[in-house]
Amino acid sequence: MSHKNYLLVGFAIALLTLCSLPVKAQFEFGPTAGVGAVMDKPIQGAGLAADLGVSARYTFLKDAPVSIQLRLDATYGYLYAGSVRKNVIQHVRFGQQDDRFAFAWQDHMIRVPLTVGVRLNNVLDGKVSLRVGGYYGRGIAGKVRYNETPDGLSFPEFDSYKSNTIKGAAGYEGNFITLAQNEHRAGVLAAIDVNLYKQLDLSLYYMGDFVDSWNSGNFKPAVKPNALKLGLSYWF
């Protein structure tokens, strides 16, 4: 039998196995919420990160020593950082790595995380699950308000998802152009879930973006937010 045929037979066996699992499997859905700290080198101190959404999960082999869990979430995410040291304004008088800027940042996004995990049914009566996966996100609104600038310049608060043109101040020829924040996000998620009581789960989870929040080119440093959060989920 060729290697290709072995793969086809293996796939067919796996498919038939999964199709035979419904009586041993469990589907659940419910609301979820989380809150924690967002961090990155340009973020001075810890910011705030929060999630609110809905989740669905499917548990295979629920009566086996180890169960396999597939989980899909749809969440609204909020980020606040009181001081981010980065220049996202283009002007002939500013260097590409100008570190005299710091701003307060608010960000709103929609994320869709997909994770695969294992529930250890022989540990604490099956109350512990470990999972890992990734997420796609889409930014929907953001605000930047500079609180530190060179030469006492003053900039109005602006929408971070749009390219903005700000009129030049005295001594600065031409306009200031702001860099638009990336709308598309992708990242990694890792979590530990502990069943607290009946359908209520407590989660400790990490989320980290793969790409810079701004398509900054040489405008450094990069800002790739990563957050550690505590979350609650209630399953029906």
Side-chain angles (χ1 to χ4, degrees), residues 212-234:
D212 188 358
S213 293
W214 278 267
N215 186 17
S216 57
N218 292 323
F219 278 69
K220 299 178 181 179
V223 182
K224 297 179 181 179
N226 57 95
L228 188 64
K229 310 175 197 176
L230 281 175
L232 289 173
S233 303
Y234 189 87

Side-chain angles (χ1 to χ4, degrees), residues 192-196 200-204 230-233:
I192 301 174
D193 306 318
V194 178
N195 180 246
L196 293 179
L200 183 64
D201 282 3
L202 174 69
S203 300
L204 175 65
L230 281 175
L232 289 173
S233 303

